[in-house]
Amino acid sequence: MSLFHIIPDRHDVVQDHNAPKDKNSFRHKLYVVIFQNNTRAGRLFNVGLFLFIFASIILLILESVESISIAYDKVFDIIDYVFLIVFSIEYLLRLYCVRDAKKYALSFYGIIDFLAIVPSYMEFFLPNWHMLMAFRCFRLLRIFRIFRMVRLLDESRYMMLALLRNFNKILVFLFFIVLLTLFLGVLLYVIESPYNPGFSSIPQSVYWAIVTITTVGYGDVAPMTIGGKMIASFIMILGYAIIAVPTGMLSAAVVTKYRDMDNASRTCPHCHNKNNASDALYCKICGTPLSDNMKQK
């Protein structure tokens, strides 16, 4: 499955292409209620689902507080089972009412829905997995569809495509940073280990280099020698440049993406001239109305 199938797009949000063919069937009516929000029943269903998701997340947060968890342990268990049953039935109904269950299960929201209920079942085998139910918060992404903010998903999709376009550059850059961090960690180990117990091993020194070069700076380990402090100062200054490079790559890619989109909208449909101004309404060569102007009419 291609990575592009995981990026939410307009088809994943609307999903009319996956509706049952028979519009008079129970499956189609159920599909409209669950997946569409242009009806009163559909909107009520989705709003109610959001309230359930919010309630389950709040419950999970309260369970992490030891005093509250001990006082209401049995109540939390009962509510957890209720949420498990509700979300499991809801997921099965989604698979039932769509035209292609496999296609939905492998779609962006299908994967999110599945991963949201898995921790509840894994809790019977691994109790620590219980807290991973916080993954349900990602189901709230559907709020963009319900309140007709699909355009915002398109914006995030453009940013994701820009990131993928520069993935190789960023990967090479990160690989270089890993090598640099390893070298600096070993260098600090050689300089500091005879005098500083904080640099007791190369892994510990590399950990310090990572914390420093990312400008996190926990302060649990610090150089004591003059040479170590000089190298630490260099790493701290280098950290700012390291943060700026991938940010600049992504920003340039996003700007290029929008510029390409703008140039495409300003291409003359008659003479195919691409040298029109960004705010032009008519082609400067043949005078043909451009796409934006035609839409306004």
Side-chain angles (χ1 to χ4, degrees):
M1 182 176 58
S2 171
L3 181 60
F4 289 97
H5 289 97
I6 303 179
I7 302 175
D9 58 12
R10 192 179 305 276
H11 298 290
D12 286 324
V13 176
V14 179
Q15 299 211 25
D16 283 334
H17 65 288
N18 211 12
K21 296 181 179 180
D22 187 2
K23 295 185 178 182
N24 296 321
S25 65
F26 173 75
R27 286 181 61 198
H28 188 275
K29 295 178 180 178
L30 186 63
Y31 177 89
V32 171
V33 172
I34 294 178
F35 286 96
Q36 301 297 327
N37 47 277
N38 52 1
T39 62
R40 180 178 177 85
R43 185 173 291 272
L44 288 176
F45 175 84
N46 284 281
V47 172
L49 178 62
F50 281 169
L51 293 177
F52 262 85
I53 295 174
F54 273 121
S56 66
I57 294 174
I58 293 174
L59 179 70
L60 184 65
I61 294 174
L62 294 177
E63 283 187 80
S64 66
V65 181
E66 185 177 0
S67 58
I68 299 178
S69 178
I70 295 175
Y72 301 97
D73 181 53
K74 294 183 178 180
V75 176
F76 284 153
D77 288 340
I78 295 174
I79 299 177
D80 281 337
Y81 287 132
V82 171
F83 282 135
L84 175 60
I85 294 173
V86 170
F87 288 130
S88 298
I89 293 176
E90 181 250 344
Y91 178 71
L92 293 176
L93 288 177
R94 288 181 181 274
L95 294 178
Y96 166 74
C97 67
V98 295
R99 184 185 306 180
D100 189 342
K102 182 179 179 181
K103 185 176 181 180
Y104 170 74
L106 296 178
S107 67
F108 175 79
Y109 287 109
I111 294 174
I112 293 292
D113 293 342
F114 176 75
L115 294 179
I117 62 175
V118 167
S120 299
Y121 288 99
M122 293 300 297
E123 182 187 6
F124 295 105
F125 309 98
L126 299 171
N128 291 335
W129 280 58
H130 177 69
M131 293 302 170
L132 291 180
M133 287 194 299
F135 196 86
R136 290 173 184 169
C137 64
F138 288 102
R139 300 194 67 193
L140 298 177
L141 288 172
R142 284 192 173 89
I143 195 171
F144 295 102
R145 173 173 62 88
I146 291 180
F147 294 102
R148 303 184 184 277
M149 293 186 290
V150 180
R151 193 171 185 179
L152 297 180
L153 288 178
D154 289 337
E155 301 291 332
S156 65
R157 184 166 178 259
Y158 296 146
M159 183 173 293
M160 181 64 70
L161 291 175
L163 180 62
L164 292 174
R165 177 182 295 180
N166 288 268
F167 178 76
N168 292 335
K169 297 178 183 178
I170 296 176
L171 185 63
V172 172
F173 176 76
L174 291 178
F175 183 70
F176 170 75
I177 296 302
V178 170
L179 297 180
L180 180 62
T181 305
L182 178 62
F183 169 75
L184 293 173
V186 173
L187 183 60
L188 260 295
Y189 171 75
V190 173
I191 297 175
E192 291 285 329
S193 59
Y195 314 101
N196 192 340
F199 294 86
S200 57
S201 64
I202 290 180
Q204 178 72 9
S205 301
V206 171
Y207 159 77
W208 172 87
I210 294 174
V211 170
T212 305
I213 207 169
T214 55
T215 69
V216 175
Y218 288 127
D220 53 342
V221 181
M224 298 173 57
T225 64
I226 295 178
K229 291 180 180 180
M230 291 177 62
I231 296 176
S233 300
F234 169 75
I235 296 176
M236 294 173 192
I237 297 174
L238 183 64
Y240 288 101
I242 290 174
I243 294 175
V245 171
T247 304
M249 289 181 181
L250 181 59
S251 300
V254 172
V255 171
T256 302
K257 178 68 177 178
Y258 278 101
R259 185 179 299 166
D260 293 342
M261 293 170 55
D262 187 67
N263 290 339
S265 65
R266 298 301 172 182
T267 301
C268 178
H270 179 69
C271 66
H272 305 290
N273 172 44
K274 298 182 179 180
N275 296 322
N276 297 296
S278 60
D279 58 347
L281 299 179
Y282 299 90
C283 176
K284 66 179 182 179
I285 301 298
C286 64
T288 301
L290 299 178
S291 57
D292 288 353
N293 191 44
M294 293 173 65
K295 290 178 182 179
Q296 294 174 3
K297 293 183 177 181

